[in-house]
Amino acid sequence: TMTAQVIMLLYLLTFLTQKVHGAVIINGKNVPDGLMLYMVSVQNNKGHVCGGFLIREDYVITAAHCDKHNPTSVIIGTHNLKNIDDSTMRYSVTRCRHPDYVKVESGDDIMLLKLVGKVQFNNRVRPIPIPRTEVKLKDKAKCRVAGWGFTKTGGKISNGLKVADVSLMSLKECKNKWKFLKHSLPNNITCAAGPKLKAGFCKGDSGGPLICGGKAVGIVSFNMECDTYVPNVYTDVSKYVSWINGIVKQNHC
């Protein structure tokens, strides 16, 4: 019946909002210390809440939905979250959430964090380039996703940074795979999945980068359950280049 369908849909959407956002890396490997020096742990007074990535000496990109955790600082320069030197690795931030962001399901899930002070680039800290203009990513391109999130649904935060290999998926195929949820995906997204849809991100990885060809092209936005069979959804960074450049130029939100 129609009512049953509506109830089921509401249930799924509730489930979706609980399980989806916030998306350790599933089927991931440890990242050696000298690699991925742009990875950032976004933190509040209780510790790690999201991932992020350094794009300049004073700006980090993360997901807008991480704003709900009231992040106040970022940790830059370590892969091991048990091994933090506050005086050299922790930077306070001001948050610039995308003005159109409402909830993950409606998209625009991007936030800039402006560092109070500037990071010194060295053999532990390096930024990652982002696309300069809007780009069309190739289907099936081999990419990677990294983070400190849960290693499986109901797991716990990983202290070591993990990375997983994923392949990009066409929007058409992605929408098809999500169709059973009667849930239309937002605009300005990119989808990716590991082999048999198994590798990918999980809670605590949100805001981390999808890396293709040495550039951060996506931001971890949402998935269904960590070990589920629907593709992971990322914010398409290239669609927000002018917004990012505008903030960096004015130097405030």
Side-chain angles (χ1 to χ4, degrees), residues 4 10 28 30 39 64 74 95 98 103 109 114 117 123 178 181 188 191 203 208 226 252-253:
L10 285 172
N30 285 321
M39 285 298 296
V74 291
R95 313 197 293 256
H98 194 280
K103 53 186 180 177
D109 192 9
K114 179 171 165 33
N123 61 356
W178 272 87
L181 281 172
N188 299 350
C191 295
K203 206 172 163 65
C226 300
H252 65 81
C253 312

Side-chain angles (χ1 to χ4, degrees), residues 72-120:
T72 49
S73 66
V74 291
I75 298 295
I76 305 175
T78 183
H79 287 353
N80 184 350
L81 298 185
K82 271 193 172 147
N83 182 16
I84 293 171
D85 177 346
D86 279 342
S87 64
T88 59
M89 296 173 181
R90 189 179 297 277
Y91 293 80
S92 297
V93 292
T94 44
R95 313 197 293 256
C96 301
R97 198 173 75 180
H98 194 280
D100 298 335
Y101 173 78
V102 182
K103 53 186 180 177
V104 284
E105 300 94 307
S106 30
D108 299 316
D109 192 9
I110 180 170
M111 176 163 66
L112 275 173
L113 301 175
K114 179 171 165 33
L115 273 53
V116 177
K118 290 185 175 182
V119 185
Q120 292 291 311

Side-chain angles (χ1 to χ4, degrees), residues 144-161:
R144 291 174 303 161
V145 56
W148 288 274
F150 301 139
T151 39
K152 60 179 192 294
T153 300
K156 60 182 198 302
I157 292 273
S158 153
N159 287 308
L161 184 64

